[in-house]
Amino acid sequence: MTDSSPALTRRQAQEKTTRRAVFVLSLLPLVLILFVTVALAARAWPILGQYSLWDLLGGIEWRPMRGQFGFLPFIAGTLWVTTVGVLLAVPPCLLTALYLSEYARPSVRAILKPVFDLLAALPSVVYGVWGVLVVVPFVGDVLRPFFHQHLGWIPLFASSQPTGYSILSGGIVLAVMIAPFIIAVTYEVLMTAPQDWRLGSLGLGATRWQTIRYVLFRHSLPGIIAGVVLGTSRAFGETMAVLMVVGNVPTLPTSIFDPAYPLPALIANNYGEMMSVPLYDAALLGAALLLLVIVLIFNIASTLVLQRVMGRRWV
Amino acid sequence: MKFRWQRRHVGEALAKLLMFLSLGLVFASLVMILWTVLSKGLPALTWQMVSQAPKGGFYLGKEGGILNAILGSLYLAGGGTLLALLFSLPLALSLETYLGNSRWGNGVRLALDVLWGIPSIVYGAFGFTLMLALGMRASLLGGILVLALLELPIMTRAMDEVIRRMPRDLELAALALGSNKREVAVHVILRQMLPGIVTAILLAFGRGIGDAASVLFTAGYTDHLPTSLMRPAASLPLAVFFQLGTPFPEVQQRAYAAALILTIIVLVVSLSSRWLAARFGRFTVR
């Protein structure tokens, strides 16, 4: 076609400009990720020059005034709280998602979905308030004495302090916070399973639960695991709600009733005063960098798995 | 299926029981959270609380309210949402029209998902370093910038998911009539998908207003009403956080009131987005 009327060429030129603008705009997310990583790495660089990575990650002394920056208590705190939270959250969330996708009638689903959306929309400080007012007393006055009396000889359940500000409280609050997220992802994954498989299995006389175990899981298990990993990475970075209930004592915990001091809480609590102490800000930004790197790895891996499982892109 | 005492039937019944129990557990936690916030917050919620800024002796339990935090939060989240919208709407539209399901387009989606997953405390730390480098102090503007960063991926991906559900025929019809892709995006997709886009914007606003960790260092906290972009601004999540930490019961009351107000704002935003989607969904082609 050799139409060269001025209107057409103008619109072709316009289209070309838009295409370029779109390309530049689409670089934005990638540039932001790189920028955040590089900026944090650059500010954390001084401390990596002074101490070896091993000393930082494996050190248990945190005394910024004396120049001791051991991250191990904080890494351990994060791992403990996250593990407890995820272990508590996963079984009920899986079962709830299974109920929603396999058993619930559409009308029930239509009522329940908004409820879970609501749970996801609540701000983290509200969870924190609930944690301080309900979970901490419950753990401190009910669970702790109970476990102390009956299972106190197991180190995991030993209680070293009289309050409920502990890993278990943080874990419970985290579990409730990531629940709607895990339910939503798992539900979406299950909904992409081919309906024919279900019907075929049920037609052969299998019960619904057998269908779930032997047919659905074959399709959905990788996606469900990826969803749980995604939920875990959310839990890693959760700051405020956990900070309010976990006690914030930098020790190496051995029991779920011990207090802990997770990485995000470390950053949030000390950011104001870091300027006066040498290397303190580098150490804190190093903590942020560590958090970022862990979350990036978790996120990229699980998103790639989800993309493959679902055949389409997802959260 | 008739129940018999077979292993598989017992397993089925057991699984069903466990499912109901878990559903009940999730439901009960939601009810309990809302009940806690309501029962603690309602008695503390007075007119003085929402209409006044803190006065002298506020933190010892004297006069004043939390208007500074309410206004601050609305400014912060509002500004952040507007700023994020500026980038995310074109990005979401171009993801559909220009990039589609291409390799590059999916790469952009992956990058957005990864951005979404970055914890808000990391954004806060990043924003603070950036502000230090630029010589800025904690201010309303800083908070708005960081919230925009936080909301950008949420808003874009939510819009993207909505726009994907658009009937492909409409787009093809517009293209067949000779419009270029930019015109398709602005005149067809934007109109057709407006309810969904508004829902996405409100979702991002809800996330922004509830986030505490990112504004902790970037927006700071103040007892004054926010007046200037360069001054610090208070926010509701931080009001809850700081006031709950004090030993005075009267001050803790204010934390409960602030938590209730925050919850109400988030619920209203969430419900109204649902309502808007239903209301304006009527004007679109199905």
Side-chain angles (χ1 to χ4, degrees):
Chain A
M1 273 199 274
T2 53
D3 191 338
S4 57
S5 69
L8 189 57
T9 40
R10 202 182 66 234
R11 294 188 57 225
Q12 277 171 336
Q14 201 182 50
E15 177 76 0
K16 219 174 209 168
T17 331
T18 323
R19 196 171 277 281
R20 285 205 187 113
V22 163
F23 177 71
V24 173
L25 191 63
S26 71
L27 285 173
L28 183 70
L30 191 65
V31 169
L32 281 179
I33 295 176
L34 290 178
F35 192 38
V36 171
T37 318
V38 169
L40 288 180
R43 290 298 305 272
W45 194 250
I47 197 159
L48 286 170
Q50 296 244 347
Y51 302 89
S52 74
L53 192 61
W54 183 245
D55 283 346
L56 289 175
L57 295 183
I60 56 168
E61 295 293 330
W62 179 264
R63 292 204 188 89
M65 300 298 173
R66 294 194 205 156
Q68 288 175 312
F69 299 100
F71 281 119
L72 194 59
F74 306 101
I75 298 173
T78 300
L79 289 179
W80 271 89
V81 175
T82 308
T83 311
V84 171
V86 171
L87 285 182
L88 286 176
V90 166
C93 290
L94 269 187
L95 287 166
T96 308
L98 280 171
Y99 174 78
L100 276 182
S101 75
E102 304 303 314
Y103 288 82
R105 274 185 237 116
S107 57
V108 179
R109 240 181 251 164
I111 299 171
L112 286 179
K113 278 294 278 175
V115 172
F116 293 134
D117 288 349
L118 209 66
L119 199 59
L122 286 178
S124 62
V125 279
V126 171
Y127 284 96
V129 169
W130 172 68
V132 170
L133 290 175
V134 177
V135 177
V136 169
F138 178 68
V139 170
D141 302 337
V142 180
L143 288 182
R144 195 185 54 80
F146 178 82
F147 276 97
H148 184 67
Q149 206 166 16
H150 298 284
L151 293 165
W153 48 274
I154 305 174
L156 187 63
F157 299 122
S159 52
S160 62
Q161 47 126 11
T163 69
Y165 289 93
S166 59
I167 291 172
L168 185 58
S169 303
I172 293 174
V173 171
L174 257 191
V176 178
M177 288 187 74
I178 61 174
F181 189 77
I182 297 183
I183 292 174
V185 178
T186 315
Y187 173 76
E188 290 285 325
V189 170
L190 288 169
M191 290 310 268
T192 59
Q195 185 68 11
D196 293 354
W197 292 15
R198 282 189 196 112
L199 296 180
S201 167
L202 292 173
L204 287 171
T207 62
R208 278 178 187 269
W209 181 244
Q210 281 176 319
T211 307
I212 290 170
R213 266 186 66 188
Y214 300 112
V215 179
L216 271 188
F217 275 179
R218 193 138 298 191
H219 166 272
S220 312
L221 206 55
I224 293 174
I225 293 172
V228 170
V229 172
L230 216 51
T232 311
S233 82
R234 290 292 147 105
F236 263 131
E238 180 44 50
T239 312
M240 281 306 177
V242 176
L243 164 68
M244 287 159 83
V245 299
V246 85
N248 299 329
V249 181
T251 53
L252 284 180
T254 54
S255 150
I256 54 172
F257 294 105
D258 284 348
Y261 206 155
L263 277 172
L266 170 75
I267 306 171
N269 273 339
N270 297 301
Y271 220 82
E273 64 204 47
M274 68 178 199
M275 284 309 160
S276 45
V277 185
L279 284 182
Y280 202 176
D281 64 327
L284 288 181
L285 290 169
L289 183 66
L290 188 63
L291 204 60
L292 177 68
V293 170
I294 297 174
V295 168
L296 282 186
I297 293 171
F298 271 53
N299 262 327
I300 294 174
S302 56
T303 313
L304 285 176
V305 171
L306 277 175
Q307 286 191 353
R308 182 148 302 180
V309 171
M310 306 188 45
R312 66 176 200 108
R313 307 308 173 268
W314 161 252
V315 176
Chain B
M1 214 182 294
K2 200 168 153 291
F3 184 85
R4 290 190 213 97
W5 280 105
Q6 290 172 355
R7 227 184 105 184
R8 60 199 201 104
H9 284 275
V10 176
E12 169 81 12
L14 202 67
K16 233 174 163 170
L17 179 72
L18 284 175
M19 279 176 198
F20 280 119
L21 282 180
S22 349
L23 191 64
L25 194 67
V26 177
F27 220 84
S29 20
L30 176 70
V31 172
M32 200 156 55
I33 291 170
L34 289 181
W35 171 247
T36 310
V37 173
L38 259 179
S39 64
K40 285 282 182 182
L42 267 186
L45 195 63
T46 56
W47 178 243
Q48 188 196 13
M49 197 69 89
V50 293
S51 64
Q52 291 181 8
K55 298 193 174 136
F58 179 72
Y59 293 100
L60 301 170
K62 299 256 177 62
E63 294 270 280
I66 47 171
L67 184 64
N68 59 333
I70 299 174
L71 277 184
S73 257
L74 289 177
Y75 287 175
L76 280 168
T81 308
L82 282 181
L83 196 58
L85 181 63
L86 217 58
F87 292 96
S88 79
L89 187 59
L91 191 56
L93 286 174
S94 53
L95 266 177
E96 168 69 16
T97 48
Y98 286 91
L99 304 171
N101 269 333
S102 65
R103 239 186 137 74
W104 182 243
N106 287 331
V108 175
R109 287 191 180 96
L110 177 64
L112 282 168
D113 289 346
V114 169
L115 268 183
W116 190 340
I118 293 179
S120 63
I121 184 86
V122 173
Y123 280 123
F126 166 72
F128 190 67
T129 24
L130 210 62
M131 286 163 64
L132 279 182
L134 295 175
M136 275 168 71
R137 303 284 298 275
S139 60
L140 183 61
L141 182 63
I144 287 176
L145 287 174
V146 171
L147 279 186
L149 196 58
L150 181 90
E151 289 181 23
L152 174 76
I154 301 174
M155 204 188 280
T156 315
R157 285 296 276 134
M159 283 181 189
D160 183 41
E161 288 292 323
V162 173
I163 291 175
R164 280 166 164 251
R165 270 186 258 136
M166 168 153 149
R168 188 106 185 105
D169 298 355
L170 279 175
E171 211 175 313
L172 294 178
L175 286 173
L177 286 172
S179 50
N180 61 29
K181 286 183 171 176
R182 190 188 57 86
E183 288 160 347
V184 171
V186 176
H187 298 297
V188 181
I189 299 180
L190 193 57
R191 288 202 189 165
Q192 171 73 13
M193 285 296 149
L194 199 58
I197 287 171
V198 172
T199 310
I201 295 171
L202 288 176
L203 175 80
F205 180 83
R207 286 293 154 85
I209 204 167
D211 199 82
S214 59
V215 294
L216 184 59
F217 325 122
T218 49
Y221 198 84
T222 171
D223 283 349
H224 302 288
L225 297 182
T227 49
S228 152
L229 274 177
M230 302 320 268
R231 294 263 182 82
S235 51
L236 278 170
L238 291 181
V240 177
F241 180 61
F242 289 140
Q243 292 172 17
L244 200 65
T246 59
F248 303 102
E250 294 90 350
V251 183
Q252 287 177 355
Q253 290 291 316
R254 290 179 185 135
Y256 305 146
L260 181 60
I261 293 171
L262 187 57
T263 311
I264 291 174
I265 292 177
V266 168
L267 291 190
V268 165
V269 165
S270 169
L271 291 178
S272 64
S273 75
R274 226 158 249 291
W275 178 80
L276 275 176
R279 176 93 167 61
F280 292 104
R282 292 184 312 189
F283 302 121
T284 56
V285 184
R286 275 173 224 274

Coordinates of all heavy atoms in Angstrom, one line a residue, chain A residues 209-254:
Chain A
W209 N -13.1 -36.8 48.0 CA -11.7 -36.7 48.6 C -10.7 -37.5 47.8 O -9.6 -37.1 47.6 CB -11.8 -37.2 50.1 CG -10.5 -37.1 50.8 CD1 -9.8 -38.1 51.3 CD2 -9.8 -35.9 51.0 NE1 -8.6 -37.6 51.9 CE2 -8.6 -36.2 51.7 CE3 -10.0 -34.5 50.7 CZ2 -7.6 -35.3 52.1 CZ3 -9.0 -33.6 51.1 CH2 -7.9 -34.0 51.8
Q210 N -11.1 -38.7 47.4 CA -10.2 -39.5 46.5 C -9.9 -38.7 45.2 O -8.7 -38.8 44.8 CB -10.9 -40.8 46.2 CG -10.8 -41.8 47.3 CD -11.5 -43.1 47.0 OE1 -12.6 -43.1 46.4 NE2 -10.9 -44.2 47.4
T211 N -10.9 -38.1 44.7 CA -10.6 -37.3 43.5 C -9.6 -36.2 43.8 O -8.7 -36.0 43.0 CB -11.9 -36.6 43.0 OG1 -12.9 -37.6 42.9 CG2 -11.7 -35.9 41.7
I212 N -9.7 -35.6 44.9 CA -8.8 -34.5 45.3 C -7.4 -35.1 45.4 O -6.4 -34.6 44.8 CB -9.2 -33.8 46.6 CG1 -10.5 -33.0 46.4 CG2 -8.1 -32.9 47.1 CD1 -11.1 -32.5 47.7
R213 N -7.3 -36.2 46.1 CA -6.0 -36.7 46.4 C -5.3 -37.3 45.2 O -4.1 -37.1 45.0 CB -6.1 -37.9 47.5 CG -5.9 -37.3 48.9 CD -5.9 -38.5 49.9 NE -4.7 -39.4 49.7 CZ -4.6 -40.5 50.3 NH1 -5.5 -40.9 51.2 NH2 -3.5 -41.3 50.1
Y214 N -6.0 -38.1 44.4 CA -5.3 -38.8 43.4 C -5.4 -38.1 42.0 O -4.6 -38.4 41.2 CB -5.9 -40.2 43.3 CG -5.8 -41.0 44.6 CD1 -6.9 -41.3 45.3 CD2 -4.5 -41.4 45.0 CE1 -6.7 -42.0 46.5 CE2 -4.3 -42.0 46.2 CZ -5.4 -42.4 46.9 OH -5.3 -43.0 48.1
V215 N -6.3 -37.2 41.8 CA -6.4 -36.6 40.5 C -6.0 -35.1 40.6 O -5.1 -34.7 39.9 CB -7.9 -36.7 40.0 CG1 -8.0 -36.1 38.6 CG2 -8.2 -38.2 39.9
L216 N -6.7 -34.4 41.5 CA -6.4 -32.9 41.5 C -5.0 -32.6 41.9 O -4.4 -31.7 41.3 CB -7.4 -32.3 42.5 CG -8.7 -31.8 41.9 CD1 -9.5 -31.0 43.0 CD2 -8.6 -31.0 40.7
F217 N -4.5 -33.2 43.0 CA -3.2 -32.9 43.4 C -2.2 -33.1 42.4 O -1.1 -32.5 42.3 CB -2.9 -33.7 44.7 CG -3.4 -33.1 46.0 CD1 -3.2 -33.7 47.2 CD2 -4.0 -31.9 45.9 CE1 -3.7 -33.1 48.3 CE2 -4.5 -31.3 47.1 CZ -4.3 -31.9 48.3
R218 N -2.4 -34.1 41.5 CA -1.4 -34.4 40.4 C -1.3 -33.1 39.6 O -0.2 -32.8 39.1 CB -2.0 -35.6 39.6 CG -0.9 -36.1 38.7 CD -1.0 -37.6 38.7 NE -0.7 -38.2 40.0 CZ -0.5 -39.5 40.1 NH1 -0.6 -40.3 39.1 NH2 -0.2 -40.0 41.3
H219 N -2.4 -32.5 39.4 CA -2.3 -31.3 38.5 C -1.8 -30.1 39.3 O -1.1 -29.3 38.9 CB -3.7 -31.0 38.0 CG -3.9 -29.6 37.4 ND1 -4.2 -28.5 38.2 CD2 -3.7 -29.1 36.2 CE1 -4.3 -27.4 37.4 NE2 -3.9 -27.8 36.2
S220 N -2.3 -29.9 40.6 CA -2.2 -28.7 41.2 C -1.1 -28.6 42.3 O -0.8 -27.5 42.7 CB -3.5 -28.3 42.0 OG -4.6 -28.5 41.1
L221 N -0.4 -29.7 42.6 CA 0.5 -29.6 43.7 C 1.6 -28.6 43.5 O 1.9 -27.8 44.4 CB 1.1 -31.0 44.0 CG 1.5 -31.2 45.5 CD1 0.4 -30.8 46.4 CD2 2.0 -32.6 45.7
P222 N 2.3 -28.5 42.3 CA 3.3 -27.5 42.2 C 2.8 -26.1 42.4 O 3.5 -25.3 43.0 CB 3.8 -27.7 40.7 CG 3.3 -29.1 40.3 CD 2.1 -29.4 41.1
G223 N 1.6 -25.9 41.9 CA 1.0 -24.5 42.0 C 0.7 -24.2 43.5 O 0.9 -23.1 43.9
I224 N 0.2 -25.2 44.2 CA -0.1 -25.0 45.6 C 1.2 -24.7 46.4 O 1.2 -23.8 47.2 CB -0.8 -26.2 46.2 CG1 -2.2 -26.4 45.5 CG2 -1.0 -26.1 47.7 CD1 -2.9 -27.6 45.9
I225 N 2.2 -25.5 46.1 CA 3.5 -25.3 46.8 C 4.0 -23.9 46.5 O 4.5 -23.1 47.4 CB 4.5 -26.3 46.4 CG1 4.1 -27.7 46.9 CG2 5.9 -26.0 46.9 CD1 4.9 -28.8 46.4
A226 N 3.9 -23.5 45.2 CA 4.4 -22.1 44.8 C 3.6 -21.1 45.6 O 4.1 -20.0 46.0 CB 4.3 -21.9 43.3
G227 N 2.3 -21.3 45.7 CA 1.4 -20.3 46.5 C 1.9 -20.2 47.9 O 1.9 -19.1 48.5
V228 N 2.2 -21.4 48.5 CA 2.7 -21.4 49.9 C 4.0 -20.6 50.0 O 4.2 -19.8 50.9 CB 2.8 -22.8 50.4 CG1 3.5 -22.8 51.8 CG2 1.5 -23.4 50.6
V229 N 4.9 -20.8 49.0 CA 6.2 -20.1 49.1 C 6.0 -18.6 48.9 O 6.6 -17.8 49.6 CB 7.1 -20.6 47.9 CG1 8.3 -19.8 47.8 CG2 7.5 -22.1 48.2
L230 N 5.0 -18.2 48.1 CA 4.7 -16.8 47.9 C 4.2 -16.2 49.2 O 4.6 -15.1 49.7 CB 3.6 -16.7 46.8 CG 3.7 -15.5 45.9 CD1 5.0 -15.3 45.3 CD2 2.6 -15.6 44.8
G231 N 3.3 -17.0 49.9 CA 2.8 -16.6 51.2 C 3.9 -16.5 52.2 O 4.0 -15.5 53.0
T232 N 4.9 -17.4 52.1 CA 6.0 -17.3 53.0 C 6.9 -16.1 52.8 O 7.3 -15.4 53.8 CB 7.0 -18.6 52.8 OG1 6.2 -19.7 52.8 CG2 8.0 -18.7 53.9
S233 N 7.0 -15.7 51.6 CA 7.8 -14.5 51.3 C 7.1 -13.2 51.8 O 7.7 -12.3 52.2 CB 8.2 -14.4 49.9 OG 7.2 -13.8 49.1
R234 N 5.7 -13.3 51.8 CA 5.0 -12.2 52.4 C 5.3 -12.1 53.9 O 5.5 -11.1 54.5 CB 3.5 -12.3 52.2 CG 3.0 -12.2 50.8 CD 3.1 -10.7 50.4 NE 3.4 -10.7 49.0 CZ 2.5 -10.4 48.1 NH1 1.3 -10.0 48.4 NH2 2.8 -10.4 46.8
A235 N 5.3 -13.3 54.5 CA 5.5 -13.4 55.9 C 6.9 -12.9 56.3 O 7.0 -12.2 57.4 CB 5.3 -14.8 56.4
F236 N 7.9 -13.2 55.5 CA 9.2 -12.7 55.8 C 9.3 -11.2 56.1 O 10.0 -10.7 57.0 CB 10.1 -13.0 54.6 CG 10.9 -14.2 54.7 CD1 10.9 -15.2 53.7 CD2 11.6 -14.5 55.9 CE1 11.6 -16.3 53.8 CE2 12.3 -15.7 56.0 CZ 12.3 -16.6 55.0
G237 N 8.6 -10.5 55.2 CA 8.8 -9.0 55.2 C 7.8 -8.3 56.1 O 7.8 -7.1 56.3
E238 N 6.8 -9.1 56.7 CA 5.8 -8.4 57.5 C 6.4 -7.8 58.7 O 7.1 -8.4 59.5 CB 4.7 -9.4 57.9 CG 3.6 -8.9 58.7 CD 3.1 -7.5 58.2 OE1 2.8 -7.4 57.0 OE2 3.1 -6.6 59.0
T239 N 6.2 -6.5 58.9 CA 6.9 -5.8 59.9 C 6.0 -5.5 61.2 O 6.3 -6.0 62.3 CB 7.4 -4.4 59.4 OG1 8.0 -4.7 58.1 CG2 8.4 -3.8 60.3
M240 N 5.0 -4.6 61.0 CA 4.4 -4.0 62.1 C 3.7 -4.9 63.1 O 3.9 -4.9 64.3 CB 3.4 -2.9 61.6 CG 4.1 -1.7 61.2 SD 5.1 -1.0 62.6 CE 5.9 0.4 61.8
A241 N 2.8 -5.8 62.5 CA 2.0 -6.7 63.3 C 2.9 -7.6 64.1 O 2.7 -7.8 65.3 CB 1.1 -7.5 62.4
V242 N 4.0 -8.1 63.5 CA 4.9 -9.0 64.2 C 5.7 -8.3 65.3 O 5.8 -8.7 66.4 CB 5.8 -9.7 63.2 CG1 6.8 -10.6 63.9 CG2 5.1 -10.5 62.2
L243 N 6.2 -7.1 64.9 CA 7.0 -6.3 65.8 C 6.2 -6.0 67.1 O 6.8 -6.0 68.2 CB 7.3 -5.0 65.1 CG 7.7 -3.7 65.8 CD1 9.1 -4.0 66.4 CD2 7.8 -2.5 64.9
M244 N 4.9 -5.9 67.0 CA 4.1 -5.5 68.2 C 3.9 -6.7 69.1 O 3.6 -6.5 70.3 CB 2.7 -5.0 67.7 CG 2.8 -3.6 67.1 SD 1.4 -3.2 66.1 CE 0.2 -2.6 67.3
V245 N 4.1 -7.9 68.7 CA 3.7 -9.1 69.6 C 4.9 -10.0 69.9 O 4.8 -10.9 70.6 CB 2.6 -9.9 69.0 CG1 1.3 -9.1 68.9 CG2 2.9 -10.5 67.7
V246 N 6.1 -9.8 69.2 CA 7.1 -10.8 69.3 C 8.1 -10.6 70.4 O 8.9 -11.5 70.6 CB 7.7 -11.0 67.9 CG1 8.8 -10.0 67.7 CG2 8.1 -12.4 67.6
G247 N 8.1 -9.5 71.0 CA 9.0 -9.3 72.2 C 10.2 -8.6 71.9 O 10.7 -7.9 72.8
N248 N 10.8 -8.7 70.7 CA 12.0 -8.0 70.4 C 13.2 -8.1 71.3 O 13.7 -7.1 71.8 CB 11.7 -6.5 70.1 CG 10.6 -6.3 69.1 OD1 10.6 -7.1 68.1 ND2 9.8 -5.3 69.2
V249 N 13.6 -9.3 71.6 CA 14.9 -9.5 72.3 C 15.8 -10.3 71.4 O 15.5 -11.4 70.9 CB 14.6 -10.4 73.6 CG1 15.8 -10.6 74.4 CG2 13.5 -9.7 74.4
P250 N 17.0 -9.7 71.2 CA 17.9 -10.4 70.3 C 18.7 -11.6 70.9 O 19.8 -11.5 71.2 CB 18.9 -9.3 69.9 CG 18.9 -8.3 71.0 CD 17.5 -8.4 71.6
T251 N 18.0 -12.7 71.0 CA 18.7 -13.9 71.4 C 18.5 -15.0 70.4 O 17.8 -14.8 69.4 CB 18.0 -14.4 72.7 OG1 16.6 -14.6 72.5 CG2 18.3 -13.5 73.9
L252 N 19.1 -16.1 70.6 CA 18.9 -17.3 69.7 C 17.8 -18.1 70.4 O 18.0 -18.7 71.4 CB 20.1 -18.1 69.6 CG 21.2 -17.6 68.6 CD1 22.4 -18.5 68.6 CD2 20.7 -17.3 67.3
P253 N 16.6 -18.1 69.8 CA 15.4 -18.8 70.5 C 15.6 -20.3 70.4 O 16.2 -20.8 69.4 CB 14.2 -18.3 69.7 CG 14.7 -17.3 68.7 CD 16.2 -17.5 68.6
T254 N 15.1 -21.0 71.4 CA 15.1 -22.4 71.3 C 13.7 -23.0 71.5 O 13.4 -24.1 71.2 CB 15.9 -23.1 72.4 OG1 15.5 -22.6 73.6 CG2 17.4 -22.8 72.1

